[in-house]
Amino acid sequence: MQMDGNTILITGAGSGIGRGLAQAFHALGNQVIIAGRRQQLLDQTTAANPGMKSLPLDIESAEGIRSFATRLKPEYPALNVVIHNAGIMRPENLKEGKVRDAEAMIATNLLGPIRLTAELLPVLLAQPSATIMTVSSGLAFVPLAMTPTYCATKAAIHSYTQSLRYQLKGTSVQVLELIPPYVQTELLGAGQANDPQAMPLDEFIAETIRILQSSPDATEICVERVKPLRFAEHTGGYDVFFKSFNDAFAGANVTR
């Protein structure tokens, strides 16, 4: 992935990993457009980064995505990078038999990137060089049982990304997958942002950028702290790892 001179769209970029990536790419000399549902957070981010642009986007809504793409494409015809960062994570007690949160996570985390890719892919294919970056999770590979649908959507994103990469081989579009570990964000509330067990956000962003700069042919962007999850099945003893991982989180009342 070229690291400067791009026109980059980042969804869910008003806070957390999305905002961190937006600021990092902005500092490297890219035109960054951030998108999300919370206008106040978008405004705060662009105010702190002069030259950065923003557009409102309801990633959960199919019509909202169509309207967003209709506005985005003529305003930014040089768009050549899309980073699908928007996502929600909610704990679920499956014994309660409720699906409202599950449906929202599927619409946001899985259908959102699929729909937005479909809308923007013609623009990306027309560029001499372009990149689609999905954001999955270490939990795509070792699920956290207290957030089952979130983990399932991230596993599906991993699978979708592999298929998208295969179908786009031979085109100008590179397909990357960013696989975060447990990071200090507010994905599941303010407590996560201060959890000492989580990777500090600035460290995660810095290591991610270093990997992108030093490993231009990498298809999966894995910081060191996510590798035990990413390769748990490869190293053997998966069932033991899965149980100990979930027991530890359940005992500490910690998420992601």
Side-chain angles (χ1 to χ4, degrees), residues 14 21 29 47 55 57 61 68 76 86 93 98 172 179 197 224 238:
L21 290 172
L55 288 172
L57 168 63
S61 163
F68 171 82
Y76 300 99
N93 183 345
K98 298 178 181 178
S172 62
I179 307 175
Q197 297 189 55
E224 286 300 317
Y238 176 85

Side-chain angles (χ1 to χ4, degrees), residues 37 58-62 65 86 88 100-115 149 153:
R37 282 185 272 211
D58 181 2
I59 195 69
E60 189 176 346
S61 163
I65 290 172
I88 56 175
R100 182 175 180 179
D101 283 343
E103 290 171 350
M105 284 184 277
I106 291 168
T108 299
N109 301 354
L110 179 58
L111 290 178
I114 291 173
R115 288 165 172 161
T149 302
T153 62

Side-chain angles (χ1 to χ4, degrees), residues 73-151:
K73 287 184 282 190
E75 286 191 32
Y76 300 99
L79 178 74
N80 70 322
V81 178
V82 175
I83 300 177
H84 292 293
N85 172 76
I88 56 175
M89 182 182 190
R90 296 172 185 168
E92 300 169 89
N93 183 345
L94 299 180
K95 291 179 286 187
E96 294 178 351
K98 298 178 181 178
V99 298
R100 182 175 180 179
D101 283 343
E103 290 171 350
M105 284 184 277
I106 291 168
T108 299
N109 301 354
L110 179 58
L111 290 178
I114 291 173
R115 288 165 172 161
L116 189 56
T117 295
E119 291 288 343
L120 298 181
L121 190 55
V123 175
L124 299 176
L125 286 168
Q127 307 296 353
S129 178
T131 300
I132 296 172
M133 181 187 292
T134 61
V135 179
S136 62
S137 169
L139 300 183
F141 305 93
V142 180
L144 183 61
M146 65 190 302
T147 58
T149 302
Y150 174 84
C151 300

Side-chain angles (χ1 to χ4, degrees), residues 144 146 182 188 195 197 248-256:
L144 183 61
M146 65 190 302
Y182 179 40
L188 263 176
D195 188 347
Q197 297 189 55
F249 271 73
N253 194 27
V254 177
T255 51
R256 188 170 172 185

